[in-house]
Amino acid sequence: MPKLNPILQFVVWLSIVLGIAFGTHTYLLGQAELPKFENNIVLAYSVNGLLAAAIFGLLYFYRLKLKNAIGFLFMGGSFIKFIFFFLLFYPAYKVDGEIDKLEFAAFFVPYTLSLVFETAFTAKMLQKMD
């Protein structure tokens, strides 16, 4: 079996993990008789997955040209994610004056999973560069 391109490999694994997490997340909400698709949960999983894929793709693309700046680029990617949070999610979550646990989980579960995958794959990429 041919080895997958690292970007494609990242996207496949991230999609699998986020898909399982989304299914589990919505299942648990349903079991608790809470609304499954509120709090922008679909948008949160989608945006976090797309941003993680784009950021890792850019890091991989520039890994040789900007190898001494990969850490700063990685942190810049995290900054971009927070910009998206404050533009897309924060206003909707703060409408009632507070961010409740369901709103927090809807965004930060996919954010955390994406960040863990980005970190692991970036570290693996950097190890191969030595």
Side-chain angles (χ1 to χ4, degrees), residues 70-117:
I70 292 291
F72 290 110
L73 294 172
F74 183 85
M75 291 187 326
S78 293
F79 180 68
I80 289 169
K81 285 184 184 180
F82 274 104
I83 290 172
F84 271 82
F85 170 76
F86 283 108
L87 291 175
L88 294 176
F89 299 98
Y90 189 76
Y93 291 166
K94 286 294 278 183
V95 164
D96 61 357
E98 65 180 284
I99 297 178
D100 65 32
K101 292 176 187 175
L102 295 176
E103 292 167 332
F104 180 83
F107 182 81
F108 282 100
V109 167
Y111 172 82
T112 302
L113 289 171
S114 298
L115 182 61
V116 167
F117 260 77

Side-chain angles (χ1 to χ4, degrees), residues 5 16 25 34 47-48 52 63 82 87 100 102 115 128:
N5 171 304
I16 291 168
H25 196 152
L34 296 166
V47 166
N48 277 296
R63 74 190 185 285
F82 274 104
L87 291 175
D100 65 32
L102 295 176
L115 182 61
K128 289 183 178 182

Side-chain angles (χ1 to χ4, degrees), residues 60-74:
Y60 187 81
F61 183 75
Y62 287 110
R63 74 190 185 285
L64 299 175
K65 186 183 267 188
L66 300 171
K67 97 179 188 181
N68 293 329
I70 292 291
F72 290 110
L73 294 172
F74 183 85

Side-chain angles (χ1 to χ4, degrees), residues 7-72:
I7 297 171
L8 183 57
Q9 187 179 17
F10 176 83
V11 170
V12 167
W13 279 109
L14 182 66
S15 298
I16 291 168
V17 168
L18 287 179
I20 291 169
F22 179 77
T24 303
H25 196 152
T26 55
Y27 173 78
L28 292 172
L29 288 170
Q31 291 298 314
E33 297 181 4
L34 296 166
K36 294 199 274 189
F37 300 106
E38 289 193 7
N39 302 315
N40 293 322
I41 192 168
V42 174
L43 183 63
Y45 275 86
S46 301
V47 166
N48 277 296
L50 290 171
L51 286 173
I55 291 165
F56 180 76
L58 287 171
L59 291 174
Y60 187 81
F61 183 75
Y62 287 110
R63 74 190 185 285
L64 299 175
K65 186 183 267 188
L66 300 171
K67 97 179 188 181
N68 293 329
I70 292 291
F72 290 110

